[in-house]
Every structure is written in C-alpha cells, then in structure tokens.
Amino acid sequence: MRRQAAATLLWLLTYLADASAAAMLDLPRAESVPGGIVILNLHREEKPLYAVWRKRRVMLVQRRGRWFAVLGIPLSLPPGRYELIVRYGNRSMRPVPFIIRAKHYRTQHISIANQRMVTPNKRDLQRIYRERNLIITALSRWSDPPEISFDFRLPVKGRYRNSFGFRRIFNGRPRRPHRGMDISAPRGTPVRAPADGLVVMTGDFFFTGKTVFIDHGRGMVSMYAHLDRIMVRARQPVNQGEQIGTVGMTGRATGPHLHWAVSLNRTMVNPALLLRNKGRR
Ligand SMILES: [Zn+2]
C-alpha cells in the first residue's frame, strides 16, 4: 500500500514537473492518448531537418536551445508503441519511440430534426466529398514562421464542456467522433482568434456551416465552425484577440455554439490542451 502511495506521489510529481515545464517552455499540455498531443524532447541541440510520422510532417520547435517534436495523435489510433523519425543533416536518421495509452471517451446521443444532416442524399454526398477535399487541403498547409506560440485563449466567452472525442450517435446512427470543443454562446457573440495566424480559407460547408481556418504555422491549423457571420478573408493575417466572426448555428448544429477544432500534422487534437490551466475540466 505504502509503495503504491509512493508510486502515485512520484507520478504526480513527474506530472506536475512536466506540466509546469510545458507552461514555462510555451508548449502545449501533453497527453499521450488518442486525440492528444505528444511532446518529445529530442535531447539534442543540433537542428533537425524535419520529422515524419505516418507519412506526415511533424512540427518541430526550439525551446531554450533544445528541439522538441509536437505531435498530434489521431482519435482512431490504437494504443501502443510508436516511433517518430527525425532526420538530421548528413543523412542521419533517428527513431524516437513513444507510447500511446488508452483513453475512454463517452458516447453521446444526439437528435437532429433534419434527417438529411444524418443521412445526406446523393447530391449532398457529392458536395460533402468536394468540401472534404477543400478542408483536407486547408489542414495540410505548411508554413514556417520564425516563432510558434502555444499561448492560446478561448475564442469565445461562453460555457463549454469538453466534449472532444465523444462517440456520437445521431438519431440512432453512429457517426464520426466529435473532433473539437463546443462553446455555447448566444447568436452574434464575437468569435476571436485565440492566437496569431493567417486565415487560410473561409467557406460555407454542409456539416460545419460558415467556417474559418487559421494557420498558426508548422502544420498547426485551427477551425471555427457554425458561424453566423464571417468577418475575415483568405490570406488575411490575424492577431490574437481579433474578431473573425460571430457565433451562429449554420450547418449541422442543434443550437448556437462555436465548434472549435485544432489540427496538428493534419490530425484533430483536443483544443483544451492548448489552454493551459483554463482548459482543465
Ligand atoms: Zn462540435
């Protein structure tokens, strides 16, 4: 019993040290689970050329002279041991192993009056397919600003419960899990950029309604869905706190709210991990 308590204490101290180190170093909060973010200290001062995992380029950032990989983990990934490949000059290649633990996500039942939003017709499906390609293109964007900041603010003043990862059943039919955070607020509430970036794309899509995508650099792209109004356009730089639109319920939404999503290496991750302590609920 005593040994168990000591182990728990050790785990807690390590966890707190990691969490405070992450906050001091301006890194996201790490959570090595499906839908989480893995942070790997490369323990080398040499600048890597690039890092790759599952054929996708992975973000690298320098903090206090050291290099870190910041890696988005898909919700669908089975727990287990994986390897990031880091490439240095002179063709040297280094595998960096990491472990993904299991995480249980709740199941949520949702009723939608508009049956087409649950089982789209043939024309809807063609539209959805077209839009999915546009969205993948926006999320695939790679830019390389000199600095990357993870100091994100909540984009809307409102209530949120962290429903990221919930398995969703619409009108009794299982659909894709929830890959963002929902923040409830009255229609018309300002939506603000949570961090500096560049607007990559705006549009009006079947499922996500009026939507804005912001590139924050090195494969980190954020998304704002179900907007009532869009107030920015593509290729426009935005600063943290700048208004990009208003809360609405366009697309597949049961009430006015912002659906906020963040993608790393083209993988939707839990946005709460970018909110420091404020996101811990
Ligand atoms: Zn949502």
Side-chain angles (χ1 to χ4, degrees), residues 24-37:
M24 272 167 12
L25 290 175
D26 185 19
L27 288 168
R29 191 153 55 86
E31 200 185 7
S32 303
V33 299
I37 298 175

Side-chain angles (χ1 to χ4, degrees), residues 165-182:
F166 281 17
R167 298 150 196 266
R168 291 190 143 176
I169 317 265
F170 285 97
N171 300 355
R173 292 170 185 273
R175 290 292 178 260
R176 297 188 80 167
H178 189 231
R179 299 187 304 156
M181 174 193 283
D182 288 341

Side-chain angles (χ1 to χ4, degrees), residues 42-51 57-63 65-69 85-94 142-148 218:
L42 303 182
H43 294 289
R44 270 210 210 180
E45 291 185 6
E46 185 188 351
K47 185 180 180 178
L49 293 178
Y50 58 85
R57 192 167 175 185
V58 167
M59 176 189 281
L60 295 168
V61 291
Q62 193 182 27
R63 295 289 185 261
R66 299 231 174 216
W67 285 90
F68 294 82
I85 300 295
V86 185
R87 176 85 184 259
Y88 291 91
N90 307 325
R91 294 195 175 169
S92 87
M93 205 91 105
R94 196 164 75 96
W142 188 275
S143 65
D144 201 0
E147 295 298 330
I148 299 287
R218 296 183 207 166

Side-chain angles (χ1 to χ4, degrees), residues 97-223:
F98 59 95
I99 304 274
I100 298 299
R101 291 177 286 111
K103 179 168 179 175
H104 177 74
Y105 289 105
R106 268 182 50 192
T107 298
Q108 186 181 28
H109 291 265
I110 299 169
S111 300
I112 296 249
N114 184 352
Q115 189 59 35
R116 252 175 78 192
M117 285 286 170
V118 180
T119 309
N121 66 33
K122 205 174 158 193
R123 258 178 67 202
D124 295 337
L125 285 172
Q126 285 169 347
R127 178 179 165 194
I128 290 164
Y129 184 75
R130 229 177 19 244
E131 292 177 352
R132 198 176 59 188
N133 285 335
L134 288 173
I135 292 170
I136 289 172
T137 305
L139 299 180
S140 306
R141 195 185 140 89
W142 188 275
S143 65
D144 201 0
E147 295 298 330
I148 299 287
S149 169
F150 297 102
D151 182 18
F152 276 57
R153 309 283 153 84
L154 205 60
V156 166
K157 278 189 189 148
R159 283 179 304 117
Y160 74 91
R161 43 187 202 124
N162 202 352
S163 57
F164 178 86
F166 281 17
R167 298 150 196 266
R168 291 190 143 176
I169 317 265
F170 285 97
N171 300 355
R173 292 170 185 273
R175 290 292 178 260
R176 297 188 80 167
H178 189 231
R179 299 187 304 156
M181 174 193 283
D182 288 341
I183 308 168
S184 302
R187 190 176 148 209
T189 305
V191 176
R192 300 180 186 283
D196 295 355
L198 184 84
V199 177
V200 221
M201 179 174 79
T202 67
D204 191 353
F205 303 110
F206 186 81
F207 286 126
T208 62
K210 290 186 185 166
T211 308
V212 171
F213 292 83
I214 300 177
D215 173 24
H216 303 283
R218 296 183 207 166
M220 179 160 63
V221 177
S222 62
M223 171 186 176

Side-chain angles (χ1 to χ4, degrees), residues 35-37 71-73 164 179-180 261-264 267-271 273:
I37 298 175
L71 180 58
I73 307 299
F164 178 86
R179 299 187 304 156
V262 176
S263 167
L264 275 165
T267 300
M268 295 298 191
V269 295
N270 184 356
L273 297 173

